[in-house]
Amino acid sequence: MDHSSSENKRGVGGYSENIKQEQLDQYRVQNAGKPMTTQEGKKRSQDQDQLKAGVRGPALREDYEFFEKMSHFGHEEIPERVVHARGYSAHGEFECYQSMKHVTKAGFLQEPGKKTPLTIRFSTVQGSRGSYDTARDLRCQGVKLYTEEGNLDLTTIAMPVLINQDAMKFPDAMHAYQSKQDDDIPTASGAHDLFWDYVANNPEALHMVEWIMSDRGILRSYRMMESWSINTYLFVNEQGKATFVRYVWKPVLGVHSLLQDEALKIGGLDPDFHRRDLRQAIDHGAYPEYELGVQLIPMEDEFKYDFDVLDPAKFWPEELIPVQPIGKMTLNRNIANYHTESEQVAFNPANVVPGIDFSNDPVLQGRLMAYRDTQQHRLGSSNYTNLPINQPLCPAHHNMRRGYMRDRIDVDQVNYHKNSLANNTPYTVPPEEGGYEHYPEKVEGYKIRARSESFKDYFSQPRIFWNSLTPVEKEHTIEGFSYQLGKVESESVRQQNVNQLANVDQELACIIADNIGVERPSGTQVPVTKSYPSLSQATTPKYAYTQKVGVLIGNGFNDQEVTGVLNYLKQCGVFIKIVAETLGTVTGANGTKLKVDATFMTTSPYLVDSLYVVGGKARNEAKFTQDLMEYVNTAYKHYKPIGVASSGESCIPTSKTNNLAGVVFAANNPDFRGKFVEAIAQQRFWDRT
């Protein structure tokens, strides 16, 4: 397909907002209301029964319509991704905040206000495509920007460090992390002997594992996910000057997490929790937003820091290397077809544009080779780039022809370079006219399989991360380690891990050792006292906007009070779910009717962020009260905000041992609405007793 028509659809400072969707529209087909046909277009008169010799006779071999339908069904699935199999996508756009031409000539970063269409895919790592969203895991984010200079793929993960320091180790890490070969258990969990044996015997893995065991490993929402490039890239400007760069996406809503108990329960209650959350937010017009930040290090400062800037198992502290916001991504459209818009989207970190290049980061260097080969195998052909979701918007002309599923019809006969018959076209483009040119970095050295000594400080940064956590975050991290290691059957593996953790923090290791039944380690932690506030979630932005409130309600409620609260919550952008005894409606004392969204049976207190307890009358009063109290107790135990209507006070058990932190009562409280919204924004009340 020739994309030259895109040249005429550019808005001010870039492509028009919907140009990628207009391209995809060429492939979208509406089948509703149309006659059924075979794949070749012949209308079908029946689609219920095979062709048989009599109504009770054998099926006939000539039934090609059955063969077409059944054989297509048998071949519908493509191999799932080896990692990142469980994922979900959306469409959006990126808007540049400021010109970055002083460090890069990348076209999409040259003008403030310039917009670039994109598609995004969020994913977990360990579980299969049919696993669940809320597993404790590393999460990833692939963004494909359809720039005027070609596709740019930014692949990031939800923590700033990687499990391995060289791409040669990646298959080992994943083999150990994924389900065991004998029984294919566990699914979507690293809580087994092989993974923790790997961690104990490969100390470079400990840093990322510590992040996964923290709150970062169990995200509240894809909309609240911070993610880093991990790898070190280069920005190159028009003058040929290069700068080291790492990317970070920062969610506007802040970074928020589930509790471990919530994550486990939600995995059974709603395996699609993160998918549903993302889709519903976009459907409500509450478009997820993420600011793109860059950390920049001049090439001459490569050896300035006490960590190696090329080491993917080390973070770049924001306090030392500030994050500079350069633009914002907005997700404003849901996908219409999971298979074609999410399952078939193919990312490759080698997809860069002029002005972006690669450092000698050994993981990045390996990824540049691995991704295309993987996508080609998974999608069945080197022509996967022709799939609509992967096509660039700018014109694409080359001499590559043929192959499986080649749908592009190249009509010229010359497919080699150099040539005279086509005036040596398609022609190469000099760098000054937009042709890609690699940064001419000087390289020299002996061929060697080895790792830089500067990579071998395995415990200083894990210690810094631990120092940076709040007491509550530390408690959750201990819980994460204890849960996972507690499932390890080998006492030796459990002991090896706590011995290694002693290098990070001796108290941490001793508590976990007690929890999992092994000897306390005798080692000592590394003598590092640094801490960085940016590593904790404690200072993240907090909003009531898009938080989900479960409204527990029966008949006979106070119409004016309740409708006033619900309207105010909606004005603040809070999502509301009306939960009652049965579906249908509930009716207030003065006849106001509210549509019920879910029953106590079909939803759960784990699936909402806070409660508004109204109470009321029900057909089965005893069961209604029992269900309501279960919701209240669960929300209270998980530190969630609770708003209490004047009719719901009896549902809140009080005693000398509970301080009711985060519980807001409407009775005798003229500012109940405002205080309740403030509590919803706070999200958790860790001082609750």
Side-chain angles (χ1 to χ4, degrees), residues 178-200:
Q178 293 177 328
S179 55
K180 298 190 278 88
Q181 292 189 69
D182 56 353
D183 54 14
D184 201 34
I185 296 173
T187 297
S189 173
H192 61 90
D193 290 48
L194 300 183
F195 175 65
W196 287 99
D197 178 55
Y198 180 87
V199 174

Side-chain angles (χ1 to χ4, degrees), residues 29 38 62 321 346 353 357 458 508 514 624 669:
V29 175
T38 64
E62 69 180 71
I321 308 153
V353 294
D357 210 324
Y458 301 125
L508 161 71
D514 292 345
F624 178 79
N669 186 353

Side-chain angles (χ1 to χ4, degrees), residues 2 37 48 132 157 179 210 266 480 500 537 542 564 611 627 661:
D2 187 343
T37 72
Q48 296 292 314
Y132 68 103
I157 66 175
S179 55
E210 183 185 16
I266 293 172
Q500 181 161 260
Q537 293 180 212
K542 297 176 181 177
L611 296 180
D627 289 339

Side-chain angles (χ1 to χ4, degrees), residues 48 66 147 217 230 248 376 401 419 483 608 640 647 663 670:
Q48 296 292 314
F66 167 75
T147 84
I230 304 301
V248 56
Q376 185 170 321
R401 306 283 192 270
N419 66 71
Y483 176 86
V608 294
K640 295 180 178 182
S647 56
V663 180

Side-chain angles (χ1 to χ4, degrees), residues 460-475:
S460 292
Q461 283 207 346
R463 173 67 181 170
I464 293 171
F465 179 60
W466 178 254
N467 291 343
S468 303
L469 299 181
T470 64
V472 168
E473 290 174 313
K474 288 181 177 181
E475 180 182 333

Side-chain angles (χ1 to χ4, degrees), residues 107 321 382 510:
I321 308 153
S382 58
C510 288

